């Protein structure tokens, strides 16, 4: 996945700018983003404060790490079961 050029603080500032009354097309043109990206950000970060967005990112990263650990543990478990069922 491609890394965004904007961090959470910048994204929230862009969303606030549009909420303040600026037209969406003008805000997108000013910051060089597509309207699709803007609406994706609005769905994800709409109504969040900067601290909440940071916490969301930290929780997302932790969740990905835990999912990876679980997948590795399940793979090890399946491998051990496979070895246990084979007759020597």
């Amino acid at each position: 996945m491609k890394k965004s050029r904007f961090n959470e603080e910048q994204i929230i500032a862009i969303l606030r700018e549009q909420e303040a009354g600026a037209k969406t097309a003008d805000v997108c043109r000013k910051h060089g983003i597509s309207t699709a990206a803007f609406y994706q950000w609005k769905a994800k970060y709409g109504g969040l404060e900067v601290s909440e967005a940071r916490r969301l990112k930290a929780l997302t990263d932790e969740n990905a790490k835990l999912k990876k650990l679980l997948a590795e543990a399940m793979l090890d478990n399946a491998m051990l079961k496979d070895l246990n069922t084979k007759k020597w």
Side-chain angles (χ1 to χ4, degrees):
M1 184 178 201
K2 184 178 177 185
K3 184 179 181 306
S4 176
R5 294 184 302 163
F6 301 96
N7 60 26
E8 291 87 13
E9 297 154 354
Q10 293 169 329
I11 291 170
I12 291 174
I14 292 169
L15 293 176
R16 297 275 184 260
E17 186 178 333
Q18 189 266 343
E19 289 173 1
K23 292 184 179 180
T24 304
D26 294 338
V27 171
C28 292
R29 191 176 314 110
K30 177 182 173 184
H31 296 286
I33 59 172
S34 69
T35 55
F38 177 83
Y39 286 114
Q40 286 178 347
W41 290 348
K42 191 169 184 174
K44 186 172 182 181
Y45 297 107
L48 292 180
E49 296 296 325
V50 175
S51 61
E52 293 170 335
R54 285 184 184 150
R55 178 151 169 77
L56 176 67
K57 180 160 176 52
L59 288 173
T60 304
D61 292 342
E62 183 181 359
N63 194 23
K65 182 179 173 182
L66 291 173
K67 282 183 178 181
K68 184 179 178 183
L69 288 172
L70 178 64
E72 290 174 355
M74 290 178 72
L75 186 62
D76 289 343
N77 192 4
M79 183 179 61
L80 290 173
K81 281 184 180 178
D82 219 20
L83 283 175
N84 195 21
T85 57
K86 291 183 180 179
K87 294 185 179 179
W88 299 93

